[in-house]
Amino acid sequence: MSRLQLKGVAKSYGATKALRHADLDIGAGEVHVLMGSNGSGKSTLSKIVAGSVRPDTGEIVLDGKPVTISGPQAARALGIAIFYQELSLAAHRTVAENICLADLPSRGAFVDRKALEARAAKYAALFEGVTGEGFSLDAVVQDLRADQRQLVEIMKTLAGEASVLIFDEATSALDRAQVERFFEILRDLKREGRSIIFISHRMDEIFAIGDRATVIRDGEIVGTRQIADTTPAEIISLMVGAQEEAAAPADAAPARAGAASVLLVRNLSGAGFSDVSFEVRAGEILGFGGLHGQGQSAVLRALFGANPPASGHVELGGKPLRPNNPRETIQQRVAYVSGDRSRDGVVTGRPILENVMPIHYLRERMVLANPSALAAKALPALQALRTKFAGLGHPISSLSGGNQQKVVIARWLIDRPAVLLLDDPTKGIDLSAKTDLFTLIRKLAAEGMGIVLYASEDAELLDNADRILVFNGGSVRRELTGAERTRFNLYQAAYEAA
C-alpha cells in the first residue's frame, strides 16, 4: 500500500537544478533508502517532504490524497517527521526538553514538567544501555558527546509519533551498538506500518535495514531496486551513470619519481580520525576522497595545528613536526586553506591588503610595515591567481566569493610554503574561479611543492590528484592510483563497509 508519493517534483536554486521531475513512491511499513553522492538531491527531496523547502513544481500525495506542505508545522500536522543531517537541537536546554521540543506539554500557561519528563523518558528508554556515560534526561545538550546529541535528535524525531519518518544521515556519529539498537527500533516501526525514508553513506547499513533503494544522480531519480534483488556494485553503477569511465586524466601534475619526501604521516589519530598514514612527495598532489565528514578535514586541521592530534608521528622535509598550534606550523612553512572563508579565511571589514599579508607578518615577525613594500609583495601573488579587485585598499567584502578565496590562497604564496593543505578550497565559488585555482595548484606542484587536496566534488579529485586516499569512518579505506582513479572505484570505497 502506498503511503507517500511524489509526482514530478522539482526544485531549482537559480540556474542550479537541485531536483528534476522526481517521481517516488514510499509504501506503508517500508524502509525506503535514498542513495546518491554529495549534492545529488537526497536532502533537497527530504526537506521538500518535511516542509522546510517548497518545490517549484510537482505534486505530493499522502495516503491517496494530494497535500500542500506549506512548512515544517504543516508537515508535522500531516504526520511527517524528519531527522536533519545538521542537528536542530537547543544546545542550552536539557535532553528532556529537546525530545519534546516540537510539542511541549503544558498546564495552562506553563510547561508541565512532570508530563514532559514522562514523555521524554519513554523515548530515552528505547536506547537504554547504549547512551553512554553522562547521559540523562536533565543533562544539558551542549555537554553531551556527538553520538549522544545524535541520539537526542533521533529521540526527538520519534517523539513526533509520525506515520512518515525521514532519517538523513542519522547514524553518522553512532557506534555499532547504538546503530544496532536504532535498527531494532526501525524494524518495530515497520511492523506498526510506519513509512521510513532512510539516507546513509554506509552500504552495510543500507543492506541491513532497507527494503527498497532509490538512487538520485545530479538531481534526477535514475532507478529503484529491491534491496533483496540488488548488489552494492549495481547501486554504485547507478550512482556513477553511463559515463563510466576511463581513468582520471593523466595531465594532473605527475608525482616525481624518486622525489624527496615533503610530508610523512604515520599512525595519526585524533578527534574524528584514527590511525591515518601517508606520504607526500615533492611535486605530488595527494587527494583525500570519500563522503563529506569522514575525517578528511579533521586530518588537515590536525596537521595544521588547529586541532592538534592525540597521537602519531609527523615529519616535514625529513624532520619531526609537532603540530601543536597554527603559529608553530606556519613558522615551519605549512600552509592551510579552508573552504570556510567566514570561519578560517577572510578578515571581514578589513582591506584586501591586510587580508593578503597576515602570514607574511607572522613569519617575518613584523611590527611596522611600509604599505608600498607590502603592496609590491602582495600584487604578484594576487596576479598569479588572476584576482579581480579595484584596489588593495578596498574592503575584502567588495570581492566576489571566488576572489575572496583567491586572496586567502594568495597570502600563502608570498613566502612559499613547503606543503600546502587544501581543505575543500573551492566550496561555494564559481567555475571560472575554480579553473584559475586548479591551474595554479597544478603549476605549484610542477614547481615541486607537495600538496594535499580534499575536495567534496569528485571531479576535482579525479582531474587533479595523482593518488587518492578514500576515507570512511575516520580512516583510510583504499588508495587509488593510476588507472584505479575512476568514479566507480571512488564511490565503491566511500560507500562500502570497511
Side-chain angles (χ1 to χ4, degrees), residues 46-94:
S46 298
K47 289 174 181 177
I48 287 172
V49 174
S52 57
V53 170
R54 296 290 297 272
D56 299 329
T57 60
E59 182 181 38
I60 299 174
V61 178
L62 185 65
D63 291 324
K65 299 177 182 178
V67 295
T68 298
I69 305 177
S70 57
Q73 190 169 350
R76 286 194 294 271
L78 290 167
I80 299 169
I82 185 170
F83 173 104
Y84 281 112
Q85 190 173 355
E86 305 85 11
L87 303 186
S88 59
L89 301 175
H92 299 288
R93 311 304 295 180
T94 67

Short mmCIF file of all heavy atoms in Angstrom, two decimals, residues 46-94:
data_model
loop_
_atom_site.label_atom_id
_atom_site.label_comp_id
_atom_site.label_asym_id
_atom_site.label_seq_id
_atom_site.Cartn_x
_atom_site.Cartn_y
_atom_site.Cartn_z
N SER A 46 14.20 15.30 0.73
CA SER A 46 13.73 15.08 2.10
C SER A 46 13.15 16.36 2.69
O SER A 46 12.11 16.33 3.37
CB SER A 46 14.90 14.58 2.97
OG SER A 46 15.39 13.35 2.50
N LYS A 47 13.81 17.48 2.44
CA LYS A 47 13.34 18.75 3.00
C LYS A 47 12.02 19.19 2.37
O LYS A 47 11.20 19.86 3.02
CB LYS A 47 14.41 19.82 2.82
CG LYS A 47 15.63 19.60 3.72
CD LYS A 47 16.74 20.59 3.42
CE LYS A 47 17.95 20.32 4.32
NZ LYS A 47 19.07 21.24 4.00
N ILE A 48 11.82 18.84 1.11
CA ILE A 48 10.52 19.13 0.47
C ILE A 48 9.40 18.36 1.16
O ILE A 48 8.35 18.91 1.48
CB ILE A 48 10.59 18.81 -1.04
CG1 ILE A 48 11.43 19.85 -1.77
CG2 ILE A 48 9.19 18.75 -1.64
CD1 ILE A 48 11.71 19.53 -3.22
N VAL A 49 9.65 17.08 1.41
CA VAL A 49 8.63 16.26 2.10
C VAL A 49 8.38 16.80 3.51
O VAL A 49 7.24 16.80 3.99
CB VAL A 49 9.07 14.79 2.15
CG1 VAL A 49 8.09 13.96 2.98
CG2 VAL A 49 9.18 14.22 0.74
N ALA A 50 9.45 17.28 4.17
CA ALA A 50 9.33 17.75 5.55
C ALA A 50 8.86 19.20 5.65
O ALA A 50 8.69 19.72 6.76
CB ALA A 50 10.67 17.60 6.26
N GLY A 51 8.68 19.87 4.51
CA GLY A 51 8.12 21.21 4.51
C GLY A 51 9.09 22.35 4.71
O GLY A 51 8.69 23.52 4.73
N SER A 52 10.39 22.07 4.84
CA SER A 52 11.34 23.16 5.03
C SER A 52 11.83 23.75 3.71
O SER A 52 12.48 24.79 3.70
CB SER A 52 12.55 22.67 5.85
OG SER A 52 13.18 21.57 5.23
N VAL A 53 11.51 23.09 2.59
CA VAL A 53 11.80 23.61 1.24
C VAL A 53 10.52 23.47 0.42
O VAL A 53 9.89 22.41 0.43
CB VAL A 53 12.97 22.85 0.58
CG1 VAL A 53 13.09 23.22 -0.89
CG2 VAL A 53 14.27 23.15 1.30
N ARG A 54 10.16 24.53 -0.29
CA ARG A 54 8.97 24.49 -1.15
C ARG A 54 9.38 24.09 -2.56
O ARG A 54 10.29 24.68 -3.15
CB ARG A 54 8.29 25.87 -1.19
CG ARG A 54 7.73 26.34 0.13
CD ARG A 54 6.52 25.53 0.57
NE ARG A 54 5.41 25.67 -0.35
CZ ARG A 54 4.50 26.63 -0.27
NH1 ARG A 54 4.58 27.56 0.67
NH2 ARG A 54 3.50 26.68 -1.14
N PRO A 55 8.73 23.08 -3.14
CA PRO A 55 9.06 22.69 -4.51
C PRO A 55 8.58 23.74 -5.50
O PRO A 55 7.62 24.47 -5.24
CB PRO A 55 8.30 21.37 -4.68
CG PRO A 55 7.13 21.48 -3.76
CD PRO A 55 7.62 22.27 -2.58
N ASP A 56 9.25 23.80 -6.66
CA ASP A 56 8.82 24.70 -7.73
C ASP A 56 7.63 24.13 -8.48
O ASP A 56 6.71 24.86 -8.86
CB ASP A 56 9.98 24.95 -8.71
CG ASP A 56 11.17 25.61 -8.03
OD1 ASP A 56 10.95 26.38 -7.08
OD2 ASP A 56 12.31 25.34 -8.44
N THR A 57 7.66 22.83 -8.72
CA THR A 57 6.57 22.15 -9.42
C THR A 57 6.38 20.77 -8.83
O THR A 57 7.22 20.28 -8.07
CB THR A 57 6.88 22.00 -10.93
OG1 THR A 57 8.10 21.23 -11.08
CG2 THR A 57 7.08 23.35 -11.60
N GLY A 58 5.27 20.13 -9.19
CA GLY A 58 5.03 18.76 -8.79
C GLY A 58 3.94 18.62 -7.75
O GLY A 58 3.41 19.62 -7.23
N GLU A 59 3.62 17.37 -7.43
CA GLU A 59 2.52 17.06 -6.52
C GLU A 59 2.99 16.05 -5.48
O GLU A 59 3.78 15.15 -5.76
CB GLU A 59 1.35 16.47 -7.32
CG GLU A 59 0.12 16.16 -6.48
CD GLU A 59 -1.00 15.55 -7.31
OE1 GLU A 59 -0.71 14.74 -8.22
OE2 GLU A 59 -2.18 15.89 -7.05
N ILE A 60 2.50 16.24 -4.24
CA ILE A 60 2.77 15.30 -3.16
C ILE A 60 1.45 14.69 -2.74
O ILE A 60 0.47 15.40 -2.48
CB ILE A 60 3.44 16.00 -1.96
CG1 ILE A 60 4.79 16.62 -2.39
CG2 ILE A 60 3.67 15.01 -0.82
CD1 ILE A 60 5.46 17.45 -1.30
N VAL A 61 1.42 13.37 -2.69
CA VAL A 61 0.20 12.63 -2.33
C VAL A 61 0.48 11.83 -1.07
O VAL A 61 1.44 11.06 -1.00
CB VAL A 61 -0.24 11.69 -3.47
CG1 VAL A 61 -1.48 10.91 -3.07
CG2 VAL A 61 -0.51 12.49 -4.74
N LEU A 62 -0.35 12.02 -0.04
CA LEU A 62 -0.20 11.33 1.23
C LEU A 62 -1.47 10.52 1.51
O LEU A 62 -2.58 11.09 1.55
CB LEU A 62 0.05 12.34 2.35
CG LEU A 62 0.35 11.77 3.74
CD1 LEU A 62 1.66 11.00 3.74
CD2 LEU A 62 0.41 12.90 4.77
N ASP A 63 -1.31 9.23 1.68
CA ASP A 63 -2.46 8.34 1.91
C ASP A 63 -3.55 8.54 0.87
O ASP A 63 -4.76 8.59 1.18
CB ASP A 63 -3.02 8.56 3.32
CG ASP A 63 -2.07 8.09 4.41
OD1 ASP A 63 -1.39 7.06 4.19
OD2 ASP A 63 -1.98 8.75 5.45
N GLY A 64 -3.13 8.69 -0.39
CA GLY A 64 -4.06 8.77 -1.50
C GLY A 64 -4.64 10.14 -1.77
O GLY A 64 -5.42 10.32 -2.72
N LYS A 65 -4.27 11.15 -0.97
CA LYS A 65 -4.84 12.49 -1.13
C LYS A 65 -3.73 13.51 -1.42
O LYS A 65 -2.72 13.53 -0.70
CB LYS A 65 -5.59 12.91 0.13
CG LYS A 65 -6.76 12.00 0.47
CD LYS A 65 -7.42 12.45 1.78
CE LYS A 65 -8.56 11.52 2.16
NZ LYS A 65 -9.20 11.91 3.44
N PRO A 66 -3.90 14.35 -2.43
CA PRO A 66 -2.92 15.42 -2.68
C PRO A 66 -2.85 16.36 -1.48
O PRO A 66 -3.89 16.72 -0.90
CB PRO A 66 -3.47 16.13 -3.92
CG PRO A 66 -4.38 15.14 -4.56
CD PRO A 66 -4.98 14.33 -3.44
N VAL A 67 -1.64 16.74 -1.10
CA VAL A 67 -1.46 17.65 0.04
C VAL A 67 -0.51 18.77 -0.36
O VAL A 67 0.34 18.62 -1.23
CB VAL A 67 -0.91 16.91 1.28
CG1 VAL A 67 -1.91 15.90 1.79
CG2 VAL A 67 0.43 16.23 0.96
N THR A 68 -0.67 19.91 0.30
CA THR A 68 0.26 21.02 0.19
C THR A 68 0.98 21.15 1.52
O THR A 68 0.35 21.35 2.57
CB THR A 68 -0.47 22.34 -0.12
OG1 THR A 68 -1.14 22.20 -1.39
CG2 THR A 68 0.52 23.49 -0.20
N ILE A 69 2.29 21.01 1.49
CA ILE A 69 3.09 21.08 2.73
C ILE A 69 3.73 22.47 2.76
O ILE A 69 4.78 22.72 2.16
CB ILE A 69 4.14 19.97 2.78
CG1 ILE A 69 3.47 18.60 2.60
CG2 ILE A 69 4.89 20.01 4.10
CD1 ILE A 69 4.42 17.42 2.56
N SER A 70 3.09 23.37 3.46
CA SER A 70 3.49 24.78 3.44
C SER A 70 4.67 25.09 4.34
O SER A 70 5.27 26.16 4.23
CB SER A 70 2.30 25.66 3.81
OG SER A 70 1.79 25.30 5.09
N GLY A 71 4.99 24.20 5.25
CA GLY A 71 6.10 24.43 6.16
C GLY A 71 6.26 23.27 7.11
O GLY A 71 5.46 22.31 7.10
N PRO A 72 7.28 23.31 7.97
CA PRO A 72 7.51 22.21 8.91
C PRO A 72 6.33 21.93 9.84
O PRO A 72 6.05 20.77 10.14
CB PRO A 72 8.74 22.70 9.70
CG PRO A 72 9.45 23.63 8.77
CD PRO A 72 8.36 24.32 8.01
N GLN A 73 5.64 22.98 10.28
CA GLN A 73 4.49 22.75 11.16
C GLN A 73 3.37 22.01 10.43
O GLN A 73 2.73 21.11 10.98
CB GLN A 73 3.98 24.09 11.70
CG GLN A 73 2.96 23.94 12.80
CD GLN A 73 2.65 25.26 13.50
OE1 GLN A 73 3.33 26.25 13.29
NE2 GLN A 73 1.64 25.27 14.33
N ALA A 74 3.17 22.38 9.15
CA ALA A 74 2.16 21.68 8.35
C ALA A 74 2.55 20.21 8.15
O ALA A 74 1.69 19.33 8.17
CB ALA A 74 1.99 22.38 7.01
N ALA A 75 3.84 19.97 7.95
CA ALA A 75 4.31 18.58 7.78
C ALA A 75 4.04 17.77 9.04
O ALA A 75 3.58 16.62 8.98
CB ALA A 75 5.79 18.57 7.44
N ARG A 76 4.33 18.35 10.21
CA ARG A 76 4.09 17.64 11.47
C ARG A 76 2.60 17.34 11.64
O ARG A 76 2.22 16.26 12.11
CB ARG A 76 4.61 18.46 12.65
CG ARG A 76 6.13 18.47 12.77
CD ARG A 76 6.58 18.99 14.11
NE ARG A 76 6.27 20.40 14.29
CZ ARG A 76 7.06 21.40 13.93
NH1 ARG A 76 8.24 21.14 13.37
NH2 ARG A 76 6.71 22.64 14.15
N ALA A 77 1.76 18.30 11.24
CA ALA A 77 0.31 18.09 11.35
C ALA A 77 -0.16 16.96 10.45
O ALA A 77 -1.15 16.27 10.75
CB ALA A 77 -0.42 19.39 11.01
N LEU A 78 0.57 16.73 9.35
CA LEU A 78 0.22 15.65 8.43
C LEU A 78 0.84 14.32 8.84
O LEU A 78 0.62 13.30 8.16
CB LEU A 78 0.68 16.02 7.02
CG LEU A 78 -0.09 17.14 6.32
CD1 LEU A 78 0.65 17.63 5.07
CD2 LEU A 78 -1.50 16.66 5.94
N GLY A 79 1.64 14.32 9.90
CA GLY A 79 2.26 13.08 10.36
C GLY A 79 3.59 12.80 9.70
O GLY A 79 3.94 11.64 9.45
N ILE A 80 4.37 13.86 9.43
CA ILE A 80 5.70 13.71 8.82
C ILE A 80 6.73 14.30 9.77
O ILE A 80 6.59 15.43 10.25
CB ILE A 80 5.78 14.44 7.46
CG1 ILE A 80 4.75 13.86 6.48
CG2 ILE A 80 7.19 14.36 6.88
CD1 ILE A 80 4.58 14.67 5.22
N ALA A 81 7.77 13.54 10.08
CA ALA A 81 8.84 14.00 10.96
C ALA A 81 10.18 13.73 10.30
O ALA A 81 10.33 12.76 9.54
CB ALA A 81 8.78 13.30 12.31
N ILE A 82 11.16 14.58 10.58
CA ILE A 82 12.48 14.44 9.94
C ILE A 82 13.61 14.60 10.94
O ILE A 82 13.54 15.42 11.86
CB ILE A 82 12.64 15.46 8.79
CG1 ILE A 82 13.96 15.24 8.03
CG2 ILE A 82 12.55 16.90 9.30
CD1 ILE A 82 14.08 16.03 6.74
N PHE A 83 14.62 13.76 10.79
CA PHE A 83 15.91 13.92 11.45
C PHE A 83 16.81 14.65 10.47
O PHE A 83 17.09 14.14 9.38
CB PHE A 83 16.51 12.56 11.79
CG PHE A 83 17.93 12.60 12.32
CD1 PHE A 83 18.17 12.42 13.67
CD2 PHE A 83 19.01 12.83 11.48
CE1 PHE A 83 19.47 12.46 14.16
CE2 PHE A 83 20.30 12.87 11.96
CZ PHE A 83 20.53 12.69 13.31
N TYR A 84 17.26 15.84 10.85
CA TYR A 84 18.09 16.63 9.94
C TYR A 84 19.56 16.26 10.09
O TYR A 84 20.05 16.03 11.20
CB TYR A 84 17.91 18.12 10.19
CG TYR A 84 16.65 18.69 9.59
CD1 TYR A 84 15.62 19.15 10.40
CD2 TYR A 84 16.50 18.77 8.21
CE1 TYR A 84 14.47 19.67 9.85
CE2 TYR A 84 15.35 19.29 7.65
CZ TYR A 84 14.33 19.73 8.47
OH TYR A 84 13.19 20.24 7.92
N GLN A 85 20.25 16.25 8.95
CA GLN A 85 21.69 15.99 8.93
C GLN A 85 22.42 17.01 9.81
O GLN A 85 23.36 16.69 10.51
CB GLN A 85 22.19 16.06 7.49
CG GLN A 85 23.60 15.58 7.28
CD GLN A 85 23.94 15.53 5.81
OE1 GLN A 85 23.10 15.77 4.95
NE2 GLN A 85 25.19 15.23 5.51
N GLU A 86 21.98 18.27 9.77
CA GLU A 86 22.51 19.30 10.65
C GLU A 86 21.57 19.33 11.86
O GLU A 86 20.42 19.74 11.74
CB GLU A 86 22.52 20.67 9.97
CG GLU A 86 23.27 20.70 8.65
CD GLU A 86 22.41 20.27 7.48
OE1 GLU A 86 21.18 20.15 7.64
OE2 GLU A 86 22.98 20.05 6.39
N LEU A 87 22.05 18.90 13.00
CA LEU A 87 21.20 18.74 14.17
C LEU A 87 20.48 20.03 14.52
O LEU A 87 21.06 21.11 14.45
CB LEU A 87 22.02 18.25 15.37
CG LEU A 87 22.81 16.95 15.17
CD1 LEU A 87 23.44 16.53 16.48
CD2 LEU A 87 21.93 15.84 14.63
N SER A 88 19.20 19.91 14.91
CA SER A 88 18.37 21.08 15.19
C SER A 88 18.05 21.18 16.68
O SER A 88 16.95 21.57 17.06
CB SER A 88 17.07 21.01 14.38
OG SER A 88 16.35 19.82 14.68
N LEU A 89 19.00 20.83 17.52
CA LEU A 89 18.78 20.82 18.95
C LEU A 89 19.02 22.20 19.56
O LEU A 89 19.76 23.03 19.02
CB LEU A 89 19.72 19.82 19.62
CG LEU A 89 19.59 18.36 19.15
CD1 LEU A 89 20.67 17.51 19.80
CD2 LEU A 89 18.22 17.81 19.45
N ALA A 90 18.38 22.42 20.73
CA ALA A 90 18.61 23.63 21.51
C ALA A 90 19.73 23.32 22.49
O ALA A 90 19.54 22.60 23.47
CB ALA A 90 17.34 24.04 22.24
N ALA A 91 20.92 23.87 22.22
CA ALA A 91 22.13 23.46 22.94
C ALA A 91 22.07 23.72 24.44
O ALA A 91 22.66 22.98 25.24
CB ALA A 91 23.35 24.16 22.35
N HIS A 92 21.36 24.76 24.85
CA HIS A 92 21.35 25.15 26.26
C HIS A 92 20.16 24.57 27.03
O HIS A 92 19.95 24.91 28.20
CB HIS A 92 21.36 26.67 26.39
CG HIS A 92 22.57 27.31 25.78
ND1 HIS A 92 23.82 27.22 26.34
CD2 HIS A 92 22.73 28.01 24.63
CE1 HIS A 92 24.69 27.85 25.58
NE2 HIS A 92 24.06 28.34 24.54
N ARG A 93 19.37 23.72 26.40
CA ARG A 93 18.24 23.09 27.06
C ARG A 93 18.58 21.64 27.40
O ARG A 93 19.56 21.06 26.92
CB ARG A 93 17.00 23.13 26.16
CG ARG A 93 16.67 24.48 25.57
CD ARG A 93 16.51 25.56 26.61
NE ARG A 93 15.36 25.33 27.48
CZ ARG A 93 15.01 26.15 28.47
NH1 ARG A 93 15.74 27.23 28.72
NH2 ARG A 93 13.95 25.89 29.20
N THR A 94 17.77 21.03 28.24
CA THR A 94 18.03 19.66 28.68
C THR A 94 17.65 18.64 27.61
O THR A 94 16.96 18.97 26.64
CB THR A 94 17.24 19.33 29.96
OG1 THR A 94 15.85 19.31 29.64
CG2 THR A 94 17.52 20.34 31.05
#
